Amino acid sequence: AFQKSTTDRKKIMAKRREYREYRKAMMSGGMEDTKALTTPSLNYDYLPSVEDIYARKFTGDSRTDPVGGRKKHSWYVLFKKDDQLFPKEKIRGELEAIGRFLKFEMSARDITFKLMKSPLEPFTSKGGAEFTLEYPMKEYGPIERGSKMRRTVRQARLVYISAAIPSGAIDPIRAKFYSSNNIVRFMTFHNSYDWEHAGEDNELLL
């Protein structure tokens, strides 16, 4: 789930309170009663201009790019179990490489990783436990030189990844997953569809 700080909650609550007061004033006396409605934590002067929003471009480095304009996405990724080519100890390095790619090339913020339990034994297994796939799967990535087909994978580990990313980063991230020989499947979830829900990267609430 998206983790919101105390400051985020206060700003979201203030926005909702202002909207309730606005509706109450509209129902009782019309627009004249809403002129004095202001919430100190929601300063519209901090919002960028419309021209800046439509012309905005992300460099890829989240440290220098504007804070707004991102939506939360999450991925469930199956990493193959291969004690020789990809042992469990290498998952950490693989996730760190994905994290650097998201942060410094895709301008992602709020990046999280979680080693999931086996979906076959959710109550007894530990995070990062391997499990047998429902059917044999082929690994992603390029076919090695000298081979005619990709390796077949029968066991995997499940990892949950989430991040707030610009809309244009979806396809490059998908291509990044498809290019890895250590991944056999992944599923993408779009957790934000507009800027009205709590916890989304609305610049008015940052």
Side-chain angles (χ1 to χ4, degrees):
F2 187 85
Q3 299 296 323
K4 299 183 286 292
S5 66
T6 303
T7 303
D8 291 335
R9 293 190 182 95
K10 289 181 178 178
K11 291 179 180 180
I12 293 167
M13 290 173 63
K15 184 175 183 293
R16 290 175 176 171
R17 182 171 60 252
E18 181 179 350
Y19 180 67
R20 288 196 298 270
E21 294 174 356
Y22 171 81
R23 288 194 61 188
K24 186 186 299 182
M26 286 289 293
M27 294 177 66
S28 60
M31 289 297 295
E32 293 298 324
D33 294 332
T34 67
K35 290 183 178 180
L37 285 179
T38 57
T39 303
S41 60
L42 297 179
N43 190 341
Y44 290 86
D45 293 334
Y46 288 114
L47 286 175
S49 65
V50 174
E51 292 78 12
D52 175 62
I53 294 295
Y54 281 99
R56 174 170 295 174
K57 293 183 179 180
F58 291 90
T59 65
D61 191 342
S62 62
R63 299 172 299 178
T64 58
D65 286 338
V67 294
R70 297 172 178 82
K71 294 185 177 182
K72 185 190 175 187
H73 291 71
S74 55
W75 301 265
Y76 285 92
V77 185
L78 285 177
F79 287 90
K80 70 180 182 182
K81 176 186 178 294
D82 191 321
D83 294 333
Q84 293 183 344
L85 300 177
F86 191 64
K88 186 176 180 180
E89 296 75 25
K90 288 189 177 182
I91 289 184
R92 181 182 180 88
E94 183 82 1
L95 296 181
E96 289 177 349
I98 293 175
R100 289 192 297 270
F101 171 75
L102 293 175
K103 183 176 182 179
F104 301 120
E105 297 185 43
M106 295 293 104
S107 192
R109 296 166 62 92
D110 304 323
I111 305 169
T112 59
F113 297 94
K114 184 179 180 181
L115 294 174
M116 304 297 291
K117 297 180 179 181
S118 167
L120 303 180
E121 300 176 341
F123 302 107
T124 58
S125 62
K126 297 181 180 180
E130 66 270 9
F131 59 92
T132 302
L133 297 171
E134 185 177 5
Y135 56 90
M137 300 180 183
K138 299 291 186 179
E139 65 181 21
Y140 290 156
I143 299 176
E144 291 188 355
R145 181 173 298 179
S147 300
K148 295 183 178 180
M149 62 181 62
R150 296 180 174 84
R151 294 187 182 88
T152 300
V153 179
R154 290 179 171 80
Q155 288 186 309
R157 296 182 176 91
L158 181 63
V159 177
Y160 171 80
I161 305 173
S162 68
I165 60 174
S167 300
I170 291 293
D171 290 338
I173 293 173
R174 184 182 292 114
K176 179 72 172 179
F177 289 155
Y178 278 128
S179 66
S180 174
N181 289 112
N182 298 320
I183 296 176
V184 294
R185 287 293 187 277
F186 70 90
M187 183 178 292
T188 305
F189 290 88
H190 303 260
N191 305 117
S192 301
Y193 289 95
D194 53 44
W195 308 115
E196 295 297 327
H197 295 94
E200 294 182 357
D201 202 10
N202 186 333
E203 294 191 33
L204 184 61
L205 304 176
L206 298 175

